Coordinates of all heavy atoms in Angstrom, one line a residue:
M61 N 89.2 91.5 164.7 CA 89.7 90.9 165.9 C 90.6 92.0 166.6 O 90.5 92.2 167.8 CB 90.5 89.7 165.6 CG 91.1 89.0 166.8 SD 92.0 87.5 166.4 CE 93.2 87.5 167.7
R62 N 91.5 92.6 165.8 CA 92.4 93.6 166.4 C 91.7 94.8 167.0 O 92.0 95.2 168.0 CB 93.4 94.1 165.3 CG 94.4 93.1 164.9 CD 95.3 93.7 163.9 NE 96.3 92.7 163.4 CZ 97.4 93.0 162.7 NH1 97.6 94.3 162.4 NH2 98.2 92.1 162.3
G64 N 88.6 94.8 168.2 CA 88.0 94.3 169.4 C 89.0 94.2 170.6 O 88.7 94.6 171.7
V65 N 90.1 93.6 170.3 CA 91.2 93.5 171.3 C 91.6 94.9 171.8 O 91.7 95.2 173.0 CB 92.4 92.7 170.8 CG1 93.6 92.7 171.7 CG2 92.0 91.2 170.5
E66 N 91.9 95.8 170.8 CA 92.4 97.1 171.1 C 91.3 97.8 172.0 O 91.7 98.5 173.0 CB 92.7 97.9 169.9 CG 93.4 99.2 170.1 CD 94.8 99.0 170.7 OE1 95.5 98.0 170.4 OE2 95.2 99.8 171.5
Q68 N 89.3 96.6 174.1 CA 89.3 96.1 175.5 C 90.6 96.4 176.2 O 90.6 96.5 177.5 CB 89.0 94.6 175.5 CG 87.6 94.3 175.0 CD 87.3 92.8 175.1 OE1 88.0 92.0 174.4 NE2 86.3 92.5 175.8
L69 N 91.7 96.5 175.5 CA 93.0 96.7 176.2 C 93.2 98.2 176.5 O 94.3 98.5 177.1 CB 94.1 96.0 175.4 CG 94.1 94.5 175.4 CD1 95.3 94.0 174.6 CD2 94.1 93.9 176.8
T70 N 92.4 99.0 176.0 CA 92.6 100.5 176.2 C 91.6 101.1 177.2 O 91.7 102.3 177.4 CB 92.6 101.2 174.8 OG1 91.3 101.0 174.2 CG2 93.7 100.9 173.9
T74 N 93.8 98.7 185.7 CA 95.1 98.2 185.7 C 95.4 97.3 184.6 O 94.4 96.8 183.9 CB 95.3 97.4 187.1 OG1 94.5 96.2 187.0 CG2 95.0 98.3 188.3
A75 N 96.6 96.9 184.4 CA 97.0 96.0 183.3 C 96.3 94.7 183.6 O 95.7 94.1 182.6 CB 98.5 95.8 183.3
F76 N 96.2 94.2 184.8 CA 95.5 92.9 185.1 C 94.1 93.1 184.8 O 93.5 92.1 184.2 CB 95.7 92.6 186.6 CG 95.0 91.3 186.9 CD1 95.6 90.1 186.7 CD2 93.7 91.3 187.5 CE1 95.0 88.9 187.0 CE2 93.1 90.1 187.8 CZ 93.7 88.9 187.5
D77 N 93.4 94.2 185.1 CA 92.0 94.3 184.8 C 91.7 94.3 183.3 O 90.8 93.7 182.9 CB 91.5 95.7 185.4 CG 91.5 95.8 186.9 OD1 91.5 94.7 187.6 OD2 91.5 96.9 187.4
R78 N 92.6 95.0 182.6 CA 92.4 95.0 181.1 C 92.6 93.6 180.5 O 91.8 93.2 179.6 CB 93.3 96.1 180.5 CG 92.9 97.5 180.9 CD 93.7 98.6 180.3 NE 95.0 98.6 180.9 CZ 96.2 98.9 180.3 NH1 96.1 99.3 179.0 NH2 97.3 98.9 180.9
I79 N 93.6 93.0 180.9 CA 93.9 91.6 180.4 C 92.8 90.7 180.8 O 92.3 89.9 180.0 CB 95.3 91.1 180.9 CG1 96.4 91.9 180.2 CG2 95.4 89.6 180.6 CD1 97.8 91.6 180.8
S80 N 92.3 90.8 182.0 CA 91.2 89.9 182.5 C 90.0 90.2 181.7 O 89.3 89.2 181.2 CB 91.0 90.2 184.0 OG 89.9 89.4 184.4
A81 N 89.6 91.4 181.4 CA 88.5 91.8 180.6 C 88.6 91.2 179.2 O 87.6 90.6 178.7 CB 88.3 93.3 180.5
Y82 N 89.8 91.3 178.6 CA 90.0 90.7 177.3 C 89.8 89.2 177.3 O 89.1 88.6 176.5 CB 91.4 91.1 176.7 CG 91.7 90.2 175.6 CD1 91.0 90.3 174.4 CD2 92.8 89.3 175.6 CE1 91.3 89.4 173.3 CE2 93.1 88.5 174.5 CZ 92.4 88.6 173.4 OH 92.7 87.8 172.3
L83 N 90.4 88.5 178.3 CA 90.4 87.0 178.3 C 88.9 86.5 178.6 O 88.5 85.5 178.1 CB 91.3 86.5 179.4 CG 92.8 86.7 179.1 CD1 93.6 86.1 180.3 CD2 93.2 86.1 177.8
R84 N 88.2 87.3 179.4 CA 86.9 86.9 179.8 C 85.7 87.4 178.9 O 84.6 87.1 179.1 CB 86.6 87.3 181.2 CG 87.5 86.6 182.2 CD 87.1 87.1 183.7 NE 88.0 86.5 184.7 CZ 87.9 85.3 185.2 NH1 86.9 84.5 184.9 NH2 88.7 85.0 186.1
R85 N 86.1 88.1 177.8 CA 85.0 88.6 176.9 C 84.2 87.5 176.4 O 84.7 86.4 176.3 CB 85.6 89.5 175.9 CG 86.3 88.7 174.7 CD 86.6 89.7 173.6 NE 87.4 89.0 172.6 CZ 86.9 88.2 171.6 NH1 85.7 87.9 171.6 NH2 87.7 87.7 170.7
R87 N 82.7 85.0 173.8 CA 83.3 84.4 172.6 C 82.4 83.3 172.2 O 81.7 82.7 173.0 CB 84.7 83.9 172.9 CG 85.7 84.8 173.4 CD 86.9 84.1 173.9 NE 87.7 85.0 174.7 CZ 88.7 85.7 174.2 NH1 89.0 85.6 172.9 NH2 89.4 86.5 174.9
T117 N 98.6 88.6 162.7 CA 97.6 88.9 163.7 C 98.0 88.3 165.1 O 97.9 88.9 166.1 CB 96.2 88.4 163.3 OG1 95.8 89.0 162.1 CG2 95.2 88.6 164.4
L118 N 98.5 87.0 165.0 CA 98.9 86.4 166.3 C 100.2 87.1 166.8 O 100.3 87.2 168.0 CB 99.1 84.9 166.1 CG 97.8 84.1 165.8 CD1 98.0 82.7 165.4 CD2 96.8 84.2 166.9
T119 N 101.0 87.5 165.9 CA 102.2 88.3 166.4 C 101.8 89.6 167.0 O 102.3 90.0 168.1 CB 103.2 88.5 165.2 OG1 103.6 87.2 164.7 CG2 104.4 89.3 165.6
W120 N 100.9 90.3 166.3 CA 100.4 91.5 166.9 C 99.7 91.3 168.2 O 100.0 92.1 169.2 CB 99.3 92.1 165.9 CG 98.7 93.4 166.5 CD1 99.1 94.7 166.4 CD2 97.5 93.4 167.3 NE1 98.3 95.5 167.0 CE2 97.3 94.8 167.6 CE3 96.6 92.5 167.7 CZ2 96.2 95.2 168.4 CZ3 95.5 92.9 168.5 CH2 95.3 94.2 168.8
L121 N 99.0 90.3 168.4 CA 98.3 90.0 169.7 C 99.3 89.8 170.8 O 99.2 90.4 171.9 CB 97.4 88.8 169.6 CG 96.6 88.5 170.9 CD1 95.8 89.6 171.4 CD2 95.7 87.2 170.6
R122 N 100.4 89.0 170.5 CA 101.4 88.8 171.5 C 102.1 90.1 171.9 O 102.4 90.5 173.0 CB 102.5 87.8 171.0 CG 102.0 86.4 171.1 CD 103.1 85.4 170.9 NE 104.2 85.8 170.0 CZ 104.2 85.6 168.7 NH1 103.2 85.1 168.0 NH2 105.3 86.0 168.0
E123 N 102.4 90.9 170.8 CA 103.1 92.2 171.1 C 102.2 93.2 171.8 O 102.7 93.9 172.7 CB 103.5 92.8 169.7 CG 104.7 92.0 169.1 CD 105.0 92.5 167.6 OE1 104.2 93.3 167.1 OE2 106.0 92.0 167.1
R124 N 100.9 93.2 171.5 CA 100.0 94.1 172.2 C 99.9 93.7 173.7 O 99.9 94.6 174.6 CB 98.6 94.1 171.5 CG 97.7 95.1 172.1 CD 98.2 96.5 171.9 NE 97.3 97.5 172.4 CZ 97.5 98.1 173.7 NH1 98.5 97.7 174.4 NH2 96.6 99.0 174.1
L125 N 99.8 92.5 174.0 CA 99.7 92.0 175.4 C 101.0 92.3 176.1 O 101.0 92.6 177.3 CB 99.3 90.5 175.4 CG 97.9 90.2 175.1 CD1 97.7 88.7 174.9 CD2 96.9 90.7 176.2
T126 N 102.1 92.1 175.4 CA 103.4 92.4 175.9 C 103.5 93.9 176.4 O 104.0 94.2 177.5 CB 104.6 92.2 174.9 OG1 104.6 90.8 174.6 CG2 105.9 92.6 175.4
R127 N 103.0 94.8 175.6 CA 103.0 96.2 175.9 C 102.1 96.5 177.2 O 102.5 97.3 178.0 CB 102.5 97.1 174.8 CG 103.5 97.2 173.6 CD 103.2 98.3 172.7 NE 101.9 98.3 172.1 CZ 101.5 97.7 171.1 NH1 102.3 96.9 170.4 NH2 100.2 97.8 170.6
V128 N 101.0 95.8 177.3 CA 100.1 96.0 178.4 C 100.8 95.5 179.7 O 100.8 96.2 180.7 CB 98.7 95.3 178.3 CG1 97.9 95.3 179.6 CG2 98.0 95.9 177.1
I129 N 101.5 94.4 179.6 CA 102.2 93.8 180.8 C 103.3 94.7 181.1 O 103.6 95.0 182.3 CB 102.6 92.4 180.5 CG1 101.4 91.5 180.3 CG2 103.6 91.9 181.6 CD1 101.7 90.1 179.6
R130 N 104.1 95.2 180.1 CA 105.2 96.1 180.4 C 104.7 97.4 181.1 O 105.3 97.9 182.0 CB 105.9 96.4 179.1 CG 107.2 97.2 179.4 CD 108.1 97.3 178.1 NE 108.7 96.0 177.8 CZ 108.5 95.3 176.7 NH1 107.8 95.8 175.7 NH2 109.0 94.1 176.4
E131 N 103.5 97.9 180.6 CA 102.9 99.1 181.3 C 102.6 98.8 182.7 O 102.8 99.6 183.6 CB 101.7 99.5 180.5 CG 101.9 100.1 179.2 CD 100.5 100.2 178.4 OE1 99.4 100.1 179.0 OE2 100.6 100.5 177.2
G132 N 102.0 97.6 182.9 CA 101.7 97.2 184.3 C 102.9 97.2 185.2 O 102.9 97.6 186.4
L133 N 104.0 96.7 184.7 CA 105.2 96.6 185.5 C 105.8 98.0 185.7 O 106.1 98.4 186.8 CB 106.3 95.8 184.7 CG 106.1 94.3 184.7 CD1 107.0 93.6 183.7 CD2 106.4 93.7 186.1
E137 N 101.8 98.1 188.9 CA 100.6 97.3 189.0 C 100.9 95.8 189.0 O 100.1 95.0 189.5 CB 99.6 97.6 187.8 CG 99.2 99.0 187.8 CD 98.5 99.4 186.4 OE1 98.5 98.5 185.5 OE2 98.1 100.5 186.3
L138 N 102.0 95.4 188.4 CA 102.5 94.0 188.3 C 103.9 94.0 188.9 O 104.7 94.9 188.8 CB 102.5 93.5 186.9 CG 101.1 93.4 186.2 CD1 101.3 93.1 184.7 CD2 100.3 92.4 186.8
L142 N 108.6 89.1 186.1 CA 107.6 88.8 185.1 C 108.1 89.2 183.7 O 108.3 90.4 183.5 CB 106.3 89.5 185.4 CG 105.0 89.1 184.7 CD1 104.6 87.7 185.0 CD2 103.9 90.0 185.1
D143 N 108.3 88.3 182.9 CA 108.8 88.6 181.5 C 107.6 88.9 180.7 O 106.8 88.1 180.4 CB 109.6 87.4 181.0 CG 110.1 87.6 179.6 OD1 109.3 88.0 178.7 OD2 111.3 87.4 179.4
P144 N 107.5 90.2 180.2 CA 106.3 90.6 179.4 C 106.1 89.7 178.2 O 105.0 89.3 177.9 CB 106.6 92.0 179.1 CG 107.5 92.5 180.2 CD 108.4 91.3 180.5
A145 N 107.1 89.5 177.4 CA 106.9 88.7 176.2 C 106.6 87.3 176.4 O 105.7 86.7 175.8 CB 108.2 88.8 175.3
A146 N 107.2 86.6 177.4 CA 106.9 85.2 177.7 C 105.5 85.1 178.3 O 104.8 84.2 178.0 CB 107.9 84.7 178.7
T147 N 105.1 86.1 179.1 CA 103.8 86.1 179.7 C 102.7 86.3 178.6 O 101.7 85.6 178.6 CB 103.7 87.1 180.8 OG1 104.7 86.9 181.8 CG2 102.3 87.1 181.5
A148 N 103.0 87.2 177.7 CA 102.0 87.4 176.6 C 101.9 86.2 175.8 O 100.8 85.8 175.4 CB 102.5 88.6 175.7
A149 N 103.0 85.5 175.5 CA 102.9 84.2 174.7 C 102.1 83.2 175.5 O 101.3 82.5 174.8 CB 104.3 83.7 174.4
A150 N 102.3 83.1 176.8 CA 101.5 82.2 177.6 C 100.0 82.5 177.6 O 99.2 81.6 177.5 CB 102.0 82.1 179.0
L151 N 99.7 83.8 177.6 CA 98.3 84.2 177.5 C 97.7 83.8 176.2 O 96.6 83.2 176.1 CB 98.2 85.7 177.7 CG 98.5 86.2 179.1 CD1 98.6 87.7 179.1 CD2 97.4 85.8 180.1
V152 N 98.4 84.0 175.1 CA 97.8 83.7 173.8 C 97.8 82.2 173.6 O 96.8 81.6 173.1 CB 98.7 84.3 172.6 CG1 98.2 83.8 171.3 CG2 98.6 85.8 172.7
A153 N 98.8 81.4 174.1 CA 98.7 80.0 174.0 C 97.6 79.4 174.9 O 96.9 78.4 174.4 CB 100.1 79.4 174.5
T154 N 97.3 80.0 176.0 CA 96.2 79.5 176.8 C 94.9 79.8 176.1 O 94.0 78.9 176.1 CB 96.2 80.3 178.2 OG1 97.4 79.9 178.9 CG2 95.0 79.8 179.0
L155 N 94.7 80.9 175.5 CA 93.5 81.2 174.8 C 93.3 80.2 173.6 O 92.2 79.5 173.5 CB 93.5 82.6 174.1 CG 93.1 83.7 175.0 CD1 93.3 85.0 174.2 CD2 91.7 83.6 175.6
Q156 N 94.3 80.0 172.8 CA 94.2 79.1 171.7 C 94.0 77.6 172.2 O 93.2 76.9 171.6 CB 95.4 79.2 170.8 CG 95.5 80.6 170.1 CD 94.2 80.9 169.3 OE1 93.7 80.1 168.6 NE2 93.8 82.2 169.5
I178 N 95.1 80.8 184.0 CA 96.2 81.7 183.6 C 96.0 83.0 184.4 O 97.0 83.7 184.7 CB 96.2 81.9 182.1 CG1 97.6 82.6 181.7 CG2 95.1 82.7 181.5 CD1 98.7 81.6 181.7
L179 N 94.8 83.4 184.6 CA 94.6 84.7 185.4 C 95.0 84.5 186.8 O 95.6 85.5 187.4 CB 93.1 85.1 185.3 CG 92.7 85.8 184.0 CD1 91.2 86.0 184.0 CD2 93.5 87.0 183.7
L182 N 98.7 85.0 186.7 CA 99.0 86.4 186.5 C 98.7 87.2 187.8 O 99.5 88.1 188.2 CB 98.3 87.0 185.3 CG 98.6 88.4 184.9 CD1 100.1 88.6 184.6 CD2 97.7 88.9 183.7

Side-chain angles (χ1 to χ4, degrees):
M61 180 180 152
R62 286 181 186 194
V65 170
E66 193 61 36
Q68 291 184 304
L69 293 180
T70 56
T74 67
F76 180 84
D77 293 338
R78 292 181 289 148
I79 291 169
S80 180
Y82 165 63
L83 294 179
R84 293 183 186 275
R85 76 170 172 79
R87 303 164 193 270
T117 301
L118 293 173
T119 298
W120 174 87
L121 181 57
R122 286 193 328 272
E123 290 171 353
R124 185 63 182 97
L125 288 167
T126 297
R127 287 195 311 271
V128 172
I129 294 163
R130 190 169 289 120
E131 289 169 10
L133 286 165
E137 299 165 355
L138 297 170
L142 190 65
D143 180 307
T147 304
L151 291 167
V152 174
T154 298
L155 280 177
Q156 295 305 316
I178 196 74
L179 285 174
L182 186 59

